[in-house]
Amino acid sequence: MRLGVLDVGSNTVHLLLVDAHIGAKPEPFASHKRPLSLVRHLDDDGAITREGQDELLGFIDEAARFAARHRAQDLLSFCTSALREAANGEEVLARVAEETEVELMELSGAQESATTFFAARRWRGWSAGHILNLDIGGGSFEMAYGQDELPSTALSVPLGAGRLTRDLLPDDPPSKTQIKELKAYVREEIGAARREFPTLDANTEVLATSKTFRSLARMTGAAPSAAGPYVRRTLAHKDLKALVKKLGPMTAAQRAQLPGVSEMRSRQVFAGAVAAEAAMRAFEIEELQICPWALREGLILRRLDSLILDQAVEIPQAPGVGHVDLRRELVTPRGSGLASARAAVEHARG
């Protein structure tokens, strides 16, 4: 079946269409996105302006028509911190539903973290034991840890690259005082989050998702995106420390000339690097691996899992296999979909 995932993030609004089948890896079919920094459309009270709302609604309507034109059979639509934390977020969600007939799911920070972890686990497979997954978005920084498909600990902290830039780095390039205050604030927030996690053993695999981490890895020598998703990409702490020092005094225009940095993200990549470096230092991570799957893929995989429970699914006959009713054969103790993420997080908090 063809699934559409509409992601309203802090920097872009992105529609991804995939051909997905139970038991198979989701394959990208088409992508349609537009830069839209909702944090730049906030008024003094933290509400999304009418102009920002109009831009958002225009693209959502455009995305829905794009999905219909390409015969998507299902459309999952969600929003994260950009709308979750806006002063008029509920009002904007209601307006979207009324004027576009698209209902956006509002994911909590813990749900976002848990679902991203789920995607990373599926990508890495069971050859990995415990996994720590880090994801830096525009508005928040998600961290999750566990050994199952859903994490035992899942947190979201307000350390998104766009948010930090807007709140603490108003100048371009930032002043030394601004950089010092940014680093102090990030260290304090990361330190508090770190105390919620257990000590990592030597066999814990550290993964990182999100455009921020991919850009940081690219700037320190990882393969470009054109090399495909199966190339192993890593980010070393020692290289990231050197990169932070390099990026600090640069202007946004200068950063945009570096490999892996788009003009749209050039201002906020430094704040993202500071947050990433602080997390690697706090967790004592020497090197992490970039994972190409993240929140969108997690939602797709959860949707496929829910289909197994909703209907009897036949596996094509093969020698020694025959037909199997997966609805009867599979057992999912914690349920499926976002309810699983909620249950996992509540279990961890308990």
Side-chain angles (χ1 to χ4, degrees), residues 2 4 15 17 61-75:
R2 182 159 297 157
L15 171 66
L17 299 181
D61 183 65
E62 182 181 314
R65 286 185 280 108
F66 183 90
R69 187 164 65 251
H70 289 284
R71 300 178 182 176
Q73 296 167 268
D74 198 358
L75 180 63

Side-chain angles (χ1 to χ4, degrees), residues 83-320:
L83 279 172
R84 183 170 66 229
E85 297 169 8
N88 59 342
E90 291 299 323
E91 175 187 328
V92 175
L93 289 175
R95 186 182 172 202
V96 168
E98 179 181 355
E99 298 187 23
T100 69
E101 298 184 354
V102 172
E103 186 171 350
L104 291 174
M105 294 186 295
E106 185 179 3
L107 301 182
S108 70
Q111 288 174 323
E112 187 177 345
S113 181
T115 306
T116 303
F117 177 94
F118 172 71
R121 163 58 79 185
R122 282 283 178 95
W123 176 269
R124 186 61 188 85
W126 291 111
S127 61
H130 284 83
I131 287 176
L132 173 68
N133 190 71
L134 307 175
D135 185 291
I136 299 176
S140 57
F141 187 160
E142 278 67 49
M143 310 172 193
Y145 170 85
Q147 65 177 342
D148 300 324
E149 286 208 320
L150 290 168
S152 56
T153 306
L155 294 182
S156 178
V157 292
L159 298 177
R163 178 200 295 268
L164 291 174
T165 302
R166 180 196 68 206
D167 294 347
L168 298 172
L169 302 177
D171 296 336
D172 181 28
S175 67
K176 290 182 178 180
T177 299
Q178 290 169 1
I179 292 175
K180 182 178 180 180
E181 291 176 352
L182 168 69
K183 290 182 177 180
Y185 173 71
V186 168
R187 274 198 305 270
E188 182 178 353
E189 291 290 322
I190 292 289
R194 175 66 184 91
R195 290 190 285 274
E196 300 295 320
F197 290 82
T199 300
L200 307 185
D201 63 41
N203 295 318
T204 299
E205 293 207 22
V206 184
L207 304 179
T209 50
S210 76
K211 177 65 174 177
T212 295
F213 273 109
R214 292 198 301 272
S215 295
L216 296 175
R218 179 73 184 103
M219 283 187 281
T220 57
S225 58
Y230 302 112
V231 175
R232 189 172 189 272
R233 297 172 174 87
T234 60
L235 176 62
H237 184 227
K238 62 180 179 61
D239 294 334
L240 182 55
K241 284 178 62 178
L243 182 63
V244 169
K245 292 181 180 180
K246 176 181 177 181
L247 292 175
M250 297 176 72
T251 65
Q254 291 170 328
R255 295 174 194 152
Q257 301 304 311
L258 300 174
V261 182
S262 66
E263 183 177 350
M264 181 185 70
R265 296 175 183 267
S266 59
R267 277 209 67 194
Q268 68 181 49
V269 71
F270 171 62
V274 169
E277 192 279 327
M280 292 185 75
R281 178 157 30 90
F283 283 97
E284 299 181 349
I285 301 166
E286 294 184 6
E287 183 178 82
L288 56 76
Q289 183 175 344
I290 304 301
C291 174
W293 280 6
L295 180 57
R296 283 189 293 269
E297 288 78 11
L299 290 170
I300 291 169
L301 293 167
R302 275 289 161 200
R303 175 60 177 148
L304 292 175
D305 283 358
S306 71
L307 291 177
I308 294 176
L309 300 178
D310 290 342
Q311 62 189 42
V313 180
E314 288 189 345
I315 297 176
Q317 189 167 356

Side-chain angles (χ1 to χ4, degrees), residues 11-81:
N11 293 305
T12 60
V13 185
H14 186 184
L15 171 66
L16 174 67
L17 299 181
V18 300
D19 287 330
H21 306 280
I22 294 169
K25 179 175 72 69
E27 293 289 349
F29 172 78
S31 177
H32 186 55
K33 62 183 176 180
R34 178 189 298 175
L36 178 57
S37 180
L38 287 176
V39 295
R40 296 181 183 177
H41 288 282
L42 296 178
D43 61 22
D44 293 339
D45 297 322
I48 299 174
T49 63
R50 189 73 179 186
E51 179 186 3
Q53 294 180 41
D54 290 344
E55 281 197 44
L56 175 61
L57 266 68
F59 181 82
I60 290 176
D61 183 65
E62 182 181 314
R65 286 185 280 108
F66 183 90
R69 187 164 65 251
H70 289 284
R71 300 178 182 176
Q73 296 167 268
D74 198 358
L75 180 63
L76 309 174
S77 307
F78 70 94
C79 59
T80 54
S81 63

